[in-house]
Amino acid sequence: MPDLSAPIVPAIEFDRLVDLRHRAASHLAGDASRKGAIARSADALTVLHGLASSPQTAADALALLHELQVYQVELDLQAQELRESREALESSLRRQVELYDFQPAGLFTLDAQRVVMETNRAGADMLGLGRDDLVGLTLDAFLLPESARRFRSAMVGVDVGMRHVWCPLTLSPRDGVALSFVAAIGQDPAGRGYLVNLTRVDEEHAVSP
């Protein structure tokens, strides 16, 4: 049911609306264009009041005011949608970070020189260092010589277009206990280097170097 208490806003022809906008813009040009937002708003209200005060333009001024009110509501709705979208993205990002950290496998992001750029909690535990301490170190430094050679060879396969390359590795963390892993290596979708997944081969027994 329509709201009978709402004021009736007369229709305004497009050409007439353009003319009113042009006249309002002309009034606001010059010194007003160099004023702050509050001063410009006050000037705009003054122009609108002037139009409404004239019998010849009063109806058009009312229609123009109604259009401005509708436009303001549209802006408010768009701002609300942007806030909701941002909140949803931030929530999704937090969940992805939690999932990344929760993985039992060691996850690493390496640059082209095999330097650690990011790792999850499991990866840091595997290497026996804190995550911040690992950033800037090469993963090769934690591999036995033969494993380091095998690892570099596998990365060449990724460079020539293979989607994923798997290879066995023997990791020698800072605590000195060598362990066997399987590495899955692929390109970083962000284009920063490589993604490496290290999974323990045997959770019960360490292997000798």
Side-chain angles (χ1 to χ4, degrees), residues 125-149:
D125 291 343
M126 288 175 178
L127 301 183
L129 289 175
R131 280 188 286 191
D132 291 341
D133 297 325
L134 278 173
V135 174
L137 301 179
T138 63
L139 195 58
D140 298 36
F142 298 89
L143 298 174
L144 298 184
E146 176 59 25
S147 289
R149 184 199 62 77

Side-chain angles (χ1 to χ4, degrees), residues 134-168:
L134 278 173
V135 174
L137 301 179
T138 63
L139 195 58
D140 298 36
F142 298 89
L143 298 174
L144 298 184
E146 176 59 25
S147 289
R149 184 199 62 77
R150 192 182 299 124
F151 183 59
R152 290 191 294 269
S153 177
M155 297 182 83
V156 171
V158 175
D159 291 336
V160 298
M162 297 180 67
R163 184 176 180 183
H164 294 105
V165 178
W166 285 265
C167 69

Side-chain angles (χ1 to χ4, degrees), residues 6-10 12 48 59-73:
I8 298 175
V9 178
I12 183 170
L48 186 60
D60 290 340
L62 181 60
L64 181 58
L65 176 60
H66 176 71
E67 183 192 1
L68 293 174
Q69 291 172 330
V70 171
Y71 181 63
Q72 180 62 54
V73 171

